[in-house]
Amino acid sequence: MERRNELLGEGPSRRRPPPRSGGGGGGGAVSPDDASGQQQQQIADLQAQQKAMLESAVKSSNQSVEMGHETNRTLNKQGEQLDRTNNKLDEVEYELKVSDKIVKNMSSLSGMVASWFWRTPKAPEHSTGLPQSSFPDERPHRDEQSAASRGAVVGARKTDIAQGEGGANDAYLDELDANINQMRDQALQQRRTMAEQNKKLDELATKVDNTNTHMRQTERNIRKI
């Protein structure tokens, strides 16, 4: 019987194996839906990574902007100190000129007569601050304007975040760009302010030397009386 079945093609050797199901073990073909799902998951993972990096960059840029504000405040205080020092030197020079007139009046009769025709030294005009006009492209209240712009970007970012990872990343990029622009403006302002203060320091150094020379000359004239 087995021999007869083999001859008729009905034996075990002629039987075809049953077809494999697609949901079996490894090596099976991936359906288009599965491939699309994997691709979407990879895109979502990449956007999540980008979001984390952008969040970190925005946080760092916010800290840099705040440091820029603090640096500008420090530079402003230094400028005020330079102005006060300059004003005090002008007052010293004025008093020395008045002393010179008094000493000349006391030293001789001719000096007394000549002093009648001398003009009283002009009182110094106090400086009110470093000249801001030397910064032609500086706009008033730039920090306040930039802060308002940054607040608008933050508001837009909250709206975009509600629209998904892609919108959130776009909002982070906008905020990062706004912070970088503000950091550039702060760096430009700081560079110009320091250059102006360095010039002021050079003028003060010269004025201090001249005042010291004047004081020594006045002291010598007093000793001759």
Side-chain angles (χ1 to χ4, degrees), residues 4 7 23 27 31 47-48 63 68 86 99 110 122 127 147 185 187 193 207 214:
R4 176 177 176 276
L7 291 175
S31 66
Q47 288 181 337
Q63 293 174 349
N86 182 70
S99 298
S110 60
K122 185 179 179 180
S127 173
D185 293 341
T193 301
K207 186 176 290 188
H214 194 172

Side-chain angles (χ1 to χ4, degrees), residues 48 89 93 115 137 155 181:
L89 285 172
E93 186 65 23
S115 66
D137 57 347
N181 287 335

Side-chain angles (χ1 to χ4, degrees), residues 11-224:
S13 61
R14 297 295 181 92
R15 293 177 183 174
R16 295 180 179 179
R20 292 182 177 181
S21 62
V30 180
S31 66
D33 291 341
D34 291 341
S36 176
Q38 292 177 2
Q39 185 177 9
Q40 292 297 325
Q41 184 60 42
Q42 291 175 354
I43 294 175
D45 292 341
L46 180 60
Q47 288 181 337
Q49 293 175 2
Q50 291 176 346
K51 178 183 176 182
M53 290 187 292
L54 287 172
E55 282 181 341
S56 177
V58 168
K59 182 178 179 180
S60 298
S61 65
N62 285 335
Q63 293 174 349
S64 297
V65 168
E66 292 304 321
M67 290 175 60
H69 289 318
E70 184 62 30
T71 300
N72 287 337
R73 286 190 289 267
T74 300
L75 288 174
N76 288 336
K77 290 180 180 179
Q78 291 177 353
E80 293 172 357
Q81 291 175 346
L82 289 174
D83 292 333
R84 288 194 294 269
T85 302
N86 182 70
N87 293 339
K88 290 178 181 179
L89 285 172
D90 289 340
E91 292 173 359
V92 171
E93 186 65 23
Y94 169 76
E95 296 298 336
L96 288 173
K97 289 179 180 179
V98 173
S99 298
D100 289 340
K101 181 179 180 180
I102 295 174
V103 171
K104 186 70 174 179
N105 186 18
M106 296 172 58
S107 60
S108 64
L109 179 61
S110 60
M112 181 183 302
V113 175
S115 66
W116 294 343
F117 302 96
W118 284 1
R119 293 182 179 180
T120 303
K122 185 179 179 180
E125 296 179 0
H126 288 172
S127 173
T128 57
L130 292 174
Q132 297 298 325
S133 59
S134 61
F135 304 157
D137 57 347
E138 288 292 327
R139 299 190 299 272
H141 310 299
R142 171 174 288 174
D143 287 346
E144 289 79 358
Q145 292 174 352
S146 299
S149 175
R150 224 162 28 101
V153 171
V154 171
R157 185 184 70 183
K158 292 180 179 179
T159 301
D160 290 338
I161 287 176
Q163 299 175 357
E165 297 289 351
N169 289 349
D170 290 341
Y172 282 129
L173 285 171
D174 291 340
E175 184 176 1
L176 183 61
D177 181 69
N179 284 346
I180 290 175
N181 287 335
Q182 188 173 3
M183 289 161 60
R184 179 198 61 194
D185 293 341
Q186 288 176 336
L188 178 62
Q189 181 180 357
Q190 291 165 10
R191 177 177 64 84
R192 292 182 172 180
T193 301
M194 287 188 291
E196 197 69 41
Q197 290 185 1
N198 286 338
K199 180 180 178 181
K200 197 74 172 181
L201 282 170
D202 291 339
E203 295 174 354
L204 284 176
T206 301
K207 186 176 290 188
V208 168
D209 291 339
N210 293 337
T211 301
N212 287 336
T213 301
H214 194 172
M215 291 183 69
R216 288 194 294 269
Q217 182 62 42
T218 301
E219 182 181 1
R220 285 194 292 268
N221 292 337
I222 291 175
R223 290 179 178 179
K224 292 178 181 179

